[in-house]
Amino acid sequence: MATLILPEIPKDYDAPSIEARCRALWEESGIHRYDPDAPGEVFSVDTPPPYVSAAHLHVGHAMSYTQAEIIIRYQRMKGRKVFYPMGFDDNGLPTERYVEKTYNINKRLTTRAAFRALCLEETRKGAAQYEELWRGLGLSVDWTLRYSTIDDHCRRTAQKSFLDLFGKGRVYRSNEPVLWDVHYETALAQADLDSMARKGKLHDIAFTAQADGSPLVISTTRPELIPACVALYHHPEDERYAHLKGTSAIVPLFGHEVPILTDETVDPAFGTGLMMVCTFGDGEDVRKWKRDKLATRLVIGPDGKMLPLAGQFAGMTAELARNAIVSALAEAGFHRKSITVEQNVSIAERSGVPVEFNMAPQWFIRVLDIKPQMLARSAELNWNPAWMKVRLDHWIEGLKYDWNISRQRFYGVPFPVWYCQGCNEPVLADAASLPVDPVEDPCPVSACPHCGSAEFRGESDVMDTWMTSSLSPLINANWAETPGRKGDMSLHPMTVRVQAFEIIRTWLFYTLIKSDAHLGTLPWKDVMISGWGLNENGKKISKSDLEKYTDKDGYNRYEPFGVIHKFGADALRYWAAGSHLGHDMRFNEKDVKDGRKLAVKLWNAARFVLMQIEGFDPEAPRPTFAERQPEDRWLLTELNKIVPVVSEGFESYNYAVSRESVDRFFWATFCDDYLEMVKHRFWKPELYTEEARVSARATLWESLRVILGLYAPFVPFTTEDLYQAIYRPVEGTVSLHVTRFPEFDAERTAEVPEMLVVGGILRAVRQLRTEARLSQTRALEAVVVDLSAASPELTEVVQAMKASIQAVSRAAEVRFDTAAYATDVAGLTVGIVAGELPEKTPTA
RNA sequence: AGGCACGUAGCUCAGUGGUAGAGCACCGCUCUGACACGGCGGGGGUCGCCGGUUCAAGCCCGGCCGUGCCUACCA
């Protein structure tokens, strides 16, 4: 059998060329492609479709996507059939605004189809940038499974979802007070709200009792809603106001009469204990309005300006009207006092302006009735980390409104609905015709089945963007049965949802709703929730962070392409694996340098191994484990020990535990100790048998291979490139990433107690060298071992390990004599004899 | 206001009952035949504070303080 000619590995670690080689290999070999017919269990991943128009990519994105991908690579190496698609979200306000701005177009002069074409074009550009980053990071996405929430398949799926929910009675249309964004002039869902703390003024305002003209003082932070006042309330047991029961009050300035009612939720201790209820100040007003059938007096319009009911204040913004009304009240003698208070106001997440209520017919998905069911679904899910579950549970418990899915915007997935102009009944699209746009497409029926009218109007509202993205598992599984689309319903439920924590209440919650409503199942078995990569000050990475901090090469510190360019993709990935799942992590370049160091160290360790094993034939029989040298048995045992630890870390999404374990072994045990020891066998052949070298070569060959496997999910480029050069010619597998992940070897578990002695002497000699100011590698005349206090067993071990002791000491001989320095082995003391310094420079 | 997470060496973070850890930074020594993007050694912490349980607590329990996030109708 011919000896294998081992390859030369370039001396310098060159990340860009390594990455280029690997990317080409992965692309050509198609190893990331999902093959439904392959054997094995499926591991499918529902990963966030980013907003392409947002395009502010930073290292935080790289972090969370990488954390998930590390697990995916592991699962692939465990032999699972990986289904890893990538989508892009191009619905919603961000895209609409972006395209409007970029092309400077007037939406009223274009059609949705034309607008959609522009969005698709922008999506294509934006997605290309994302794709380049994902590929650059080594994400093993199957790009043939790509989807875009604007494409026909996704629109079809979203519209099918609507039809199905309509058929099941889960969707309804109603003219209700809805949360309203006065900036973008659209309805919102509860999940689209944010809150903002600010200082406000609490005003005491006098109403007038209808019965006797006495003043009734209420406290309000929203005096501009006084014209909208429809009732006063007090607590039913508040004796101060008991006599008002059944009477009414006159609203100051505006003069209309409102009833005085009671409600348990009124806090008698707040303000005067008397409150006004308006159309509509908050959700509580809406609740009382519904329950007590109060009058309706809308005073704030869809654009946030005061309506005619506000009288002289009509046309003002609510903000302006607030001050103007207070002044008018003061002049008229109704204003009593004002105090400054801290208040929390609800704002629209997208526009940042305080939300108002508006009334318009909207489509809703009924969710309030299934809160307990959703909490049960939450409990069924395998949450990683487990404590993220309460975030969803709290959200579900706090839900107050059904999910409003109507948006009064131009662009998005249309509702597949027309309305009869005669009786206003909705007519739904045919399932077979999806996707449709009712603004442009004709109504599927020629006469209304209810009233016979032939006039129809297509719904011009579009769906909430989450209506589509909440279907990602069903988009992937081709629930809509789009022809030519990969994937089928055997993929649903998927294995794991991967996302960050801030979209638990939206993406995660809505997806649970959809799979439950459509199919009565969970959308996935597991969820993996990542934290955020923060800037150096521990804050969210902002746009200005991405504008500042640019170095002389033009690379921004938080910008992933720049980081990859400077340190390599593996370095950035390694950094990403440093935070425990779900925890935020501050980004520092110096921490990325650690990743770079690891990659370089791996490279050099591999080069070293190749140098030492020259002449090794990987296909020839190797010594059994029992036949190996003690150092070799020890190394293989230590390596074998970490394999289950690493695997269990990955299985439970705790990649950080896995990384730490491999790191400790690789740096300390393998490089610092074992490689240093094993050198001697090759450099001092006269002290060792050929069997000892054969044992070393076999051990180096095998252990490097396992190390590459263990590190493969973290640093896929470096490990792959080394695998290609060293092991592929022997093993024949196209890529390291489709080889089997290292497995625990039940035979390689023998402890090697001799190594405790050798290790103890190694540490002692290193210490003694430092104290004597000697280089660690300088040859010593002798290492002195004092066995006077040693047990017979210890003495025997020392004798047997004499060559190793000499090796780790780099000493010309081992002397048995008295010595003072205590090792960490009981009964064993050592010393060193430096001897003459070798002449370095030639003598004259 | 409630919930969750966090508070461990100058910095970033490990450490789920048994004598305080890593990396970076710092101070020495070392350019030795894988690697100076390296190696060896060292200094540095009353583990936020106060109680409790235990033979034993950074770790468990209670309370407080601080930070971040989530939730919340105090009009």
Side-chain angles (χ1 to χ4, degrees), chain A residues 267-573:
Chain A
D267 178 2
F270 186 90
T272 59
L274 197 59
M275 75 182 287
M276 70 167 182
V277 166
C278 309
T279 309
F280 297 97
D282 57 31
E284 269 302 295
D285 286 356
V286 174
R287 189 181 66 82
K288 296 189 187 80
W289 172 81
K290 269 192 191 168
R291 185 193 62 192
D292 298 336
K293 311 232 177 326
L294 301 175
T296 306
R297 294 177 63 88
L298 264 181
V299 298
I300 298 179
D303 56 357
K305 297 213 170 103
M306 304 302 285
L307 294 171
L309 264 182
Q312 56 172 302
F313 307 100
M316 291 183 184
T317 64
E319 192 82 25
L320 269 176
R322 182 173 310 152
N323 296 326
I325 288 180
V326 170
S327 301
L329 285 165
E331 260 175 55
F334 295 113
H335 181 257
R336 293 298 149 90
K337 64 170 183 181
S338 300
I339 55 169
T340 301
V341 291
E342 279 294 329
Q343 56 177 174
N344 257 325
V345 294
S346 287
I347 58 172
E349 193 184 28
R350 289 285 169 208
S351 66
V353 303
V355 293
E356 298 293 351
F357 283 85
N358 191 20
M359 289 190 66
Q362 310 275 318
W363 288 102
F364 294 87
I365 293 180
R366 212 183 297 280
V367 293
L368 296 180
D369 62 324
I370 48 170
K371 280 189 184 188
Q373 201 172 324
M374 288 301 110
L375 288 169
R377 288 287 183 215
S378 167
E380 274 178 64
L381 258 184
N382 174 28
W383 288 84
N384 299 282
W387 46 266
M388 286 289 182
K389 174 177 180 288
V390 300
R391 297 198 178 203
L392 177 65
D393 293 354
H394 284 168
W395 175 254
I396 294 173
E397 285 160 9
L399 273 175
K400 287 183 303 187
Y401 310 101
D402 281 336
W403 177 15
N404 180 351
I405 53 170
S406 292
R407 294 294 178 274
Q408 288 65 51
R409 299 298 300 177
F410 178 74
Y411 174 69
V413 177
F415 286 87
V417 177
W418 293 258
Y419 302 100
C420 167
Q421 293 299 73
C423 65
N424 220 22
E425 281 295 313
V427 176
L428 302 188
D430 234 9
S433 67
L434 305 179
V436 297
D437 185 347
V439 171
E440 292 161 28
D441 299 338
C443 181
V445 297
S446 51
C448 172
H450 297 276
C451 72
S453 163
E455 293 293 310
F456 298 94
R457 178 181 61 80
E459 170 67 274
S460 59
D461 285 356
V462 294
M463 296 183 193
D464 180 6
T465 180
W466 295 111
M467 183 70 186
T468 309
S469 47
S470 60
L471 293 162
S472 54
L474 294 171
I475 289 168
N476 286 323
N478 196 15
W479 176 61
E481 295 173 336
T482 301
R485 178 87 204 167
K486 269 206 214 173
D488 60 61
M489 286 304 286
S490 69
L491 289 163
H492 189 279
M494 298 182 78
T495 310
V496 62
R497 154 62 66 84
V498 166
Q499 61 168 77
F501 60 84
E502 84 282 7
I503 48 176
I504 287 176
R505 72 184 194 185
T506 49
W507 197 36
L508 198 154
F509 174 61
Y510 291 144
T511 309
L512 282 182
I513 297 261
K514 288 295 185 74
S515 285
D516 184 72
H518 292 308
L519 298 158
T521 65
L522 282 176
W524 348 262
K525 186 166 71 62
D526 300 349
V527 284
M528 174 180 183
I529 310 283
S530 64
W532 271 356
L534 305 174
N535 69 18
E536 290 175 12
N537 302 316
K539 303 285 180 198
K540 189 176 171 177
I541 298 171
S542 64
K543 236 173 128 177
S544 80
D545 286 326
L546 284 167
E547 282 155 9
K548 288 187 293 182
Y549 306 122
T550 298
D551 68 13
K552 57 179 165 45
D553 300 320
Y555 287 106
N556 176 276
R557 155 189 319 175
Y558 300 113
E559 200 276 303
F561 290 111
V563 176
I564 291 173
H565 174 85
K566 275 166 94 167
F567 302 105
D570 280 341
L572 183 54
R573 290 178 61 104

Side-chain angles (χ1 to χ4, degrees), chain A residues 83-349:
Chain A
F83 180 87
Y84 184 25
M86 184 66 69
F88 294 99
D89 192 354
D90 22 39
N91 283 327
L93 267 174
T95 307
E96 181 170 326
R97 297 283 302 144
Y98 182 77
V99 169
E100 265 185 298
K101 242 177 96 180
T102 307
Y103 290 89
N104 190 26
I105 51 171
N106 185 340
K107 288 180 298 187
R108 302 186 204 290
L109 301 179
T110 187
T111 63
R112 280 212 281 236
F115 196 84
R116 189 183 306 130
L118 290 179
C119 289
L120 273 167
E121 175 57 18
E122 280 312 299
T123 296
R124 202 187 53 72
K125 287 188 207 159
Q129 199 196 353
Y130 269 86
E131 185 171 334
E132 181 52 28
L133 176 61
W134 300 152
R135 287 181 186 274
L137 264 180
L139 299 195
S140 52
V141 168
D142 179 352
W143 290 100
T144 68
L145 301 174
R146 175 176 156 158
Y147 65 89
S148 163
T149 56
I150 190 190
D151 67 26
D152 286 354
H153 172 60
C154 292
R155 293 202 323 281
R156 180 180 160 92
T157 307
Q159 292 184 338
K160 174 175 174 175
S161 169
F162 179 87
L163 296 183
D164 191 53
L165 293 174
F166 186 92
K168 290 177 162 143
R170 187 130 298 279
V171 81
Y172 66 93
R173 185 163 172 82
S174 170
N175 187 6
E176 306 242 340
V178 286
L179 296 163
W180 192 264
D181 182 336
V182 297
H183 177 79
Y184 285 121
E185 298 191 36
T186 180
L188 299 171
Q190 190 178 342
D192 302 319
L193 303 185
D194 238 328
S195 69
M196 177 179 72
R198 69 170 185 195
K199 289 216 189 304
K201 281 213 161 61
L202 181 65
H203 305 277
D204 280 6
I205 308 292
F207 282 50
T208 309
Q210 167 76 10
D212 58 6
S214 63
L216 296 173
V217 180
I218 60 104
S219 301
T220 182
T221 53
R222 302 207 55 189
E224 75 275 20
L225 288 178
I226 284 176
C229 179
V230 289
L232 297 187
Y233 277 80
H234 61 83
H235 192 274
E237 278 152 38
D238 193 335
E239 290 177 4
R240 292 172 296 177
Y241 303 113
H243 65 285
L244 296 173
K245 193 172 179 188
T247 70
S248 57
I250 306 295
V251 176
L253 289 188
F254 298 91
H256 59 281
E257 188 177 340
V258 295
I260 300 173
L261 305 168
T262 62
D263 190 274
E264 296 282 345
T265 64
V266 179
D267 178 2
F270 186 90
T272 59
L274 197 59
M275 75 182 287
M276 70 167 182
V277 166
C278 309
T279 309
F280 297 97
D282 57 31
E284 269 302 295
D285 286 356
V286 174
R287 189 181 66 82
K288 296 189 187 80
W289 172 81
K290 269 192 191 168
R291 185 193 62 192
D292 298 336
K293 311 232 177 326
L294 301 175
T296 306
R297 294 177 63 88
L298 264 181
V299 298
I300 298 179
D303 56 357
K305 297 213 170 103
M306 304 302 285
L307 294 171
L309 264 182
Q312 56 172 302
F313 307 100
M316 291 183 184
T317 64
E319 192 82 25
L320 269 176
R322 182 173 310 152
N323 296 326
I325 288 180
V326 170
S327 301
L329 285 165
E331 260 175 55
F334 295 113
H335 181 257
R336 293 298 149 90
K337 64 170 183 181
S338 300
I339 55 169
T340 301
V341 291
E342 279 294 329
Q343 56 177 174
N344 257 325
V345 294
S346 287
I347 58 172
E349 193 184 28

